[in-house]
Amino acid sequence: MNRFSLWAKLLVFTLLYLPLTVGNTAEVPEGFKIEVFAENVDGARQMALSDTGIIYAGSRRPGKVHAVIDTDGDFKADKTVLVIDNLNMPSGLAYKNGDLYIAEVDKVIRLKAIDKNYNKSPIAEVVYANLPDKSHHGWKYTKFGPDGRLYVPIGVPCNVCLSEDERFGSIIAINVETGESEVIAEGVRNSVGFDWDPKSGDLWFTDNGRDMMGDDIPPCELNKVSKNGDFFGFPYVHGKSVKDPKYYKRFKRDHPQMNFVEPEWEFQAHVAPLVMMFYQAEQFPAKYKNSIFVAQHGSWNRSTKVGYKIVNLQLDEDGNVKGQTDFVTGWLEGEEVLGRPVDLITLPDGSVLISDDGFSKIYRVSYSKPSA
């Protein structure tokens, strides 16, 4: 082989593999750094941080829950342990008083004293069994609210429909000790993320818009609950004003007052906003304090892909969203998907972890003030 042929082959090899290398590097604003915190966390979805610093990660299709452990405190996990498997889409996790709560499609289970038992085949006890068993939009996000109850969304079992089972299309709050529950929000298609405003105490949640209406409608939503039982429009109205072609004509009959709560913010159609989080730590610059971060999981029902990033929403003095900017990008190169963000949690030092169920990774975003 002559020298020219060798260099030509090396050039072709470089051109073929350079996009993959570059594409796997997420981009963050100046002063921030994003690194892989953990790999091979099968289908990592919602995370829960324990009092001892262990991170538990649920999954959807794999049916597994893992414990992810940073034993030496260098912000890189060096141990991942399978806690429990063969569950029914255990996407949603919450930690309270030493116990791990896991929301499956049709029930919520509890693993007691989890930090002492995560590697000992812990016994699961059912704390709530009154959830529908439909898997379509059946995977859950769950979180304990300021009132001590466990909040759980129940997505509709369809793209767009009306169900005789009134549990569908809601967010409920569960007392895990008594099993009593209350409907917090109705007319919610598929929420996979919520958090409480640290100033007002209001519950905010994302909602994924319906499919099959084209590339650009309807918008996905960010909503706020003003009072328990608020109705948010599904399936009659999407976003602020998109009338459903099948169900809007029934709106007046089903809801004579024609009232629904409009979203606080409309995202681009099909970006699939999942977990949202009010940032309440101190590590990031001051402008991010009490702002909202949202993981956009990314589109499937669109001719060209959108989403696959983390966005930041700033609020004004009255608590209204005043704008949206990109925060983590680089997980979509053309039509090639390189990351599918799901959950965001804040570590005690103020850095943020991001789970990625498409590539079974967890990332860590940290900030250091740029040197002068």
Side-chain angles (χ1 to χ4, degrees):
M1 180 184 296
N2 62 41
R3 182 175 296 180
F4 177 79
S5 297
L6 177 61
W7 280 108
K9 288 191 174 185
L10 286 172
L11 178 62
V12 170
F13 180 88
T14 301
L15 290 174
L16 284 173
Y17 286 94
L18 182 60
L20 181 62
T21 303
V22 174
N24 275 310
T25 303
E27 299 175 2
V28 290
E30 182 181 4
F32 288 90
K33 179 169 62 174
I34 183 166
E35 303 169 288
V36 174
F37 176 83
E39 298 185 272
N40 303 315
V41 186
D42 197 4
R45 294 277 292 189
Q46 189 176 2
M47 300 173 286
L49 177 65
S50 80
D51 291 337
T52 67
I54 297 174
I55 294 147
Y56 295 96
S59 65
R60 189 169 63 176
R61 291 186 182 90
K64 303 174 182 177
V65 174
H66 286 92
V68 181
I69 306 163
D70 172 15
T71 57
D72 53 13
D74 64 350
F75 297 110
K76 188 170 180 63
D78 46 26
K79 189 162 96 172
T80 299
V81 177
L82 178 64
V83 177
I84 190 169
D85 62 0
N86 296 316
L87 299 181
N88 188 2
M89 293 186 179
S91 179
L93 302 185
Y95 176 91
K96 185 180 182 183
N97 296 334
D99 301 335
L100 183 67
Y101 294 79
I102 303 170
E104 298 185 74
V105 169
D106 58 346
K107 61 183 174 294
V108 178
I109 62 175
R110 174 169 56 198
L111 307 182
K112 301 194 86 170
I114 186 62
D115 285 359
K116 297 178 181 178
N117 297 299
Y118 68 84
N119 59 350
K120 300 177 183 177
S121 301
I123 303 299
E125 61 174 328
V126 177
V127 297
Y128 190 80
N130 191 29
L131 295 173
D133 63 359
K134 304 300 183 185
S135 61
H136 192 126
H137 295 150
W139 52 92
K140 305 289 190 290
Y141 176 85
T142 188
K143 204 170 192 177
F144 280 98
D147 58 7
R149 295 186 295 177
L150 186 67
Y151 284 65
V152 180
I154 304 174
V156 296
C158 56
N159 173 32
V160 58
C161 60
L162 277 170
S163 174
E164 293 183 358
D165 189 336
E166 294 182 354
R167 293 174 297 177
F168 288 116
S170 67
I171 298 175
I172 65 173
I174 302 168
N175 183 319
V176 295
E177 301 305 328
T178 67
E180 296 177 347
S181 63
E182 179 186 9
V183 174
I184 304 300
E186 298 179 289
V188 180
R189 180 178 179 269
N190 180 33
S191 177
V192 194
F194 46 80
D195 199 6
W196 286 264
D197 186 329
K199 293 183 177 180
S200 69
D202 292 332
L203 174 66
W204 292 57
F205 66 91
T206 60
D207 196 11
N208 285 251
R210 65 157 291 179
D211 297 305
M212 308 304 177
M213 287 187 73
D215 277 1
D216 300 315
I217 58 170
C220 294
E221 302 176 9
L222 179 65
N223 293 289
K224 180 173 69 175
V225 178
S226 298
K227 64 180 187 303
N228 290 354
D230 274 348
F231 176 71
F232 289 87
F234 183 85
Y236 312 98
V237 183
H238 312 286
K240 294 181 179 180
S241 60
V242 177
K243 299 175 181 179
D244 190 85
K246 180 176 181 180
Y247 290 103
Y248 182 77
K249 59 187 177 183
R250 299 177 54 173
F251 193 9
K252 186 174 182 179
R253 186 195 73 185
D254 296 346
H255 291 266
Q257 301 303 317
M258 296 287 284
N259 291 329
F260 71 98
V261 180
E262 293 186 359
E264 296 291 313
W265 187 255
E266 294 182 324
F267 297 107
Q268 184 177 6
H270 306 299
V271 297
L274 298 191
V275 174
M276 59 147 295
M277 177 189 75
F278 283 94
Y279 183 76
Q280 300 180 53
E282 304 294 336
Q283 185 185 111
F284 290 7
K287 74 173 186 176
Y288 292 105
K289 186 69 177 284
N290 297 328
S291 70
I292 299 172
F293 287 99
V294 179
Q296 296 187 348
H297 197 229
S299 60
W300 69 269
N301 179 234
R302 201 172 189 279
S303 61
T304 57
K305 292 183 173 67
V306 291
Y308 309 96
K309 60 186 177 181
I310 307 295
V311 298
N312 177 253
L313 286 78
Q314 295 283 326
L315 307 182
D316 62 23
E317 291 298 321
D318 296 322
N320 302 311
V321 179
K322 62 181 182 180
Q324 171 186 309
T325 57
D326 289 347
F327 184 71
V328 182
T329 58
W331 288 324
L332 181 63
E333 277 201 352
E335 292 296 290
E336 182 182 8
V337 175
L338 301 171
R340 300 213 72 186
V342 177
D343 193 16
L344 306 111
I345 63 171
T346 306
L347 294 179
D349 75 325
S351 61
V352 171
L353 295 185
I354 304 167
S355 64
D356 177 340
D357 68 339
F359 293 83
S360 298
K361 294 181 180 181
I362 299 174
Y363 296 92
R364 175 176 175 260
V365 177
S366 59
Y367 178 79
S368 296
K369 186 176 181 179
S371 57

